[in-house]
């Protein structure tokens, strides 16, 4: 017998149960959304430093400045778990007590030398790399990162020279060094009259390949690099090469940018760069030894808009002229020119000793000044040079100054103070 009241009651009970289950489900969802979700994923997301003190030493005084830590960018290599700043911060910056700023997916600590975990709220000693540990919120996982703060180790106002070694060169009677592309070149003549070229990559400066230069005759050696072409002059004529290995004779010596008459036979240096005021105009400067013994080298200049070379000052009458020195080297470095060499040549009242000074020209070769105090600190040369004899050659790749001696000694220096 059908009982409608009973069926209605059953449907009501089932509906009530469904409502209760739904309510419980909704309550559970709301509770879960309210709580912090625990995760096994751990990672250091950002790293930075706060302001630091930098100590400066100027002659007899010392002062301190504050470096804005937010300007230092750090890279995080998640694969290798390394953190570092690509651009080193200033020399003299104190990294013994560094306050840091970090964000992470997890809890962050640093590992003390004792092995204990320290708070990232501490000031941390970064004189050597520090391990940072990120722990997951559930405490089951951890990931370590090695954090380094790179600081310039060289005083930017001092010169640093390194003797790289002694190359297996011929015994050069004369030599000339060049930088072309990513390679360092030395071209010269040995004590038996044979011509050689030596080539090494700039990033492996003692991996020299020495080759005999076939087809070159004569003596009275001089060499220049002009428009990426090597030119070698002897009393037999002019030769050219694009790789310093294969050479061919040049019939017309005026082919080299119309140098001053006879200039190539005495050429020391050749520089060309755009004007600061107009990059479409090139200024070329040519330095050569004088035809007769004189106190100064000869310096010419010419703009690309001009037809004629202009000699800068009569050599003997220019008290600030480029000094004529034995094996004179002239280089273009940090937008200025520098000259140095052995003992002075010519009728000087007070002869100059070998490598006693370095002469700087800031006005495109018009005046050359050597200041002893600044020379010692900013663009000094090794004391060992004063004891060395024989020919040498100097060249720069824009960052380093290279000095190569006839006995194969290879020196590299960085003149930080004049940058």
């Amino acid at each position: 017998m059908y009982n409608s009241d009973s069926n209605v009651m059953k449907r009501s009970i089932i509906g009530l149960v469904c409502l209760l289950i739904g309510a419980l489900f909704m309550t559970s969802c709301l509770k879960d959304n309210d709580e912090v979700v625990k995760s096994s994923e751990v990672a250091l997301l950002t790293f930075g430093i706060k302001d630091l003190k930098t100590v400066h030493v100027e002659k007899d005084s010392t002062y301190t400045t504050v470096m804005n830590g937010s300007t230092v960018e750090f890279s995080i290599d998640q694969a290798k778990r390394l953190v570092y700043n690509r651009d080193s911060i200033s020399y003299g910056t104190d990294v013994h007590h560094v306050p840091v700023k970090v964000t992470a997916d997890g809890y962050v600590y640093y590992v003390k030398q004792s092995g204990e975990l320290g708070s990232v709220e501490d000031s941390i000693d970064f004189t050597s790399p520090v391990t940072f540990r990120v722990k997951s919120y559930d405490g089951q996982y951890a990931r370590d990162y090695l954090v380094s703060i790179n600081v310039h180790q060289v005083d930017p106002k001092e010169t640093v020279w390194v003797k790289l070694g002694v190359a297996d060169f011929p015994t050069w009677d004369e030599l000339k060094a060049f930088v072309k592309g990513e390679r360092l070149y030395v071209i010269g003549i040995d004590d038996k009259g044979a011509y050689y070229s030596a080539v090494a990559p700039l990033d492996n400066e003692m991996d020299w390949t020495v080759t005999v230069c076939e087809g070159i005759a004569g003596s009275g050696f001089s060499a220049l690099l002009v428009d990426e072409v090597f030119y070698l002059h002897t009393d037999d004529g002019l030769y050219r090469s694009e790789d310093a290995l294969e050479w061919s004779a040049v019939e017309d010596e005026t082919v080299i940018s119309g140098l001053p008459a006879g200039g190539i036979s005495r050429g020391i240096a050749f520089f060309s760069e755009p004007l600061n005021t107009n990059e479409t105009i090139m200024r070329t400067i040519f330095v050569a030894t004088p035809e007769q013994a004189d106190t100064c080298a000869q310096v010419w200049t010419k703009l690309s808009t001009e037809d004629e070379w202009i000699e800068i000052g009569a050599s003997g009458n220019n008290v600030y002229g480029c000094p004529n020195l034995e094996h004179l080297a002239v280089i273009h470095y940090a937008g200025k020119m520098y000259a140095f060499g052995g003992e002075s040549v010519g009728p000087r009242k007070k002869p100059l000793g070998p490598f006693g000074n370095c002469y700087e020209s800031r006005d495109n070769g018009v005046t050359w000044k050597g200041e002893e105090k600044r020379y010692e600190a900013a663009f000094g040369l090794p004391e060992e040079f004063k004891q060395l004899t024989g020919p040498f050659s100097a060249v720069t790749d824009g960052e380093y100054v290279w000095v190569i001696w006839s006995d194969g000694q290879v020196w590299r220096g960085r003149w930080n103070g004049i940058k």
Side-chain angles (χ1 to χ4, degrees), residues 11-28:
R11 286 196 297 269
S12 297
I13 292 172
I14 293 172
L16 181 60
V17 170
C18 289
L19 288 172
L20 289 172
I21 292 173
L24 289 171
F25 178 78
M26 291 297 292
T27 302
S28 176

Side-chain angles (χ1 to χ4, degrees), residues 263-285:
I264 179 60
S265 63
R266 308 186 314 275
I268 296 173
F270 184 97
F271 310 115
S272 188
E273 64 178 359
L275 298 181
N276 292 331
T277 55
N278 188 339
E279 293 186 354
T280 65
I281 300 177
M282 302 294 291
R283 182 196 303 277
T284 301
I285 296 176

Side-chain angles (χ1 to χ4, degrees), residues 335-354:
K336 297 172 279 291
M337 292 192 295
Y338 296 88
F340 55 91
E343 295 183 350
S344 58
V345 179
R348 283 186 177 271
K349 293 181 179 179
K350 294 183 177 180
L352 304 175

Side-chain angles (χ1 to χ4, degrees), residues 179-185 199-204 397:
V179 169
K180 179 181 176 182
E182 298 299 319
R183 294 182 176 274
L184 185 62
Y185 293 80
V199 185
L202 286 172
D203 58 0
N204 191 4
D397 62 5

Side-chain angles (χ1 to χ4, degrees), residues 169-170 172 176 184-189 194-199 208-213 232 241 243-247:
F169 288 157
W172 303 107
K176 182 71 175 179
L184 185 62
Y185 293 80
V186 179
I187 300 171
I189 183 172
Y195 286 92
Y196 291 84
S197 67
V199 185
W208 292 93
T209 299
V210 181
T211 307
V212 176
C213 298
L232 192 154
S241 175
D243 58 8
L245 299 175
E246 297 182 3
W247 296 82

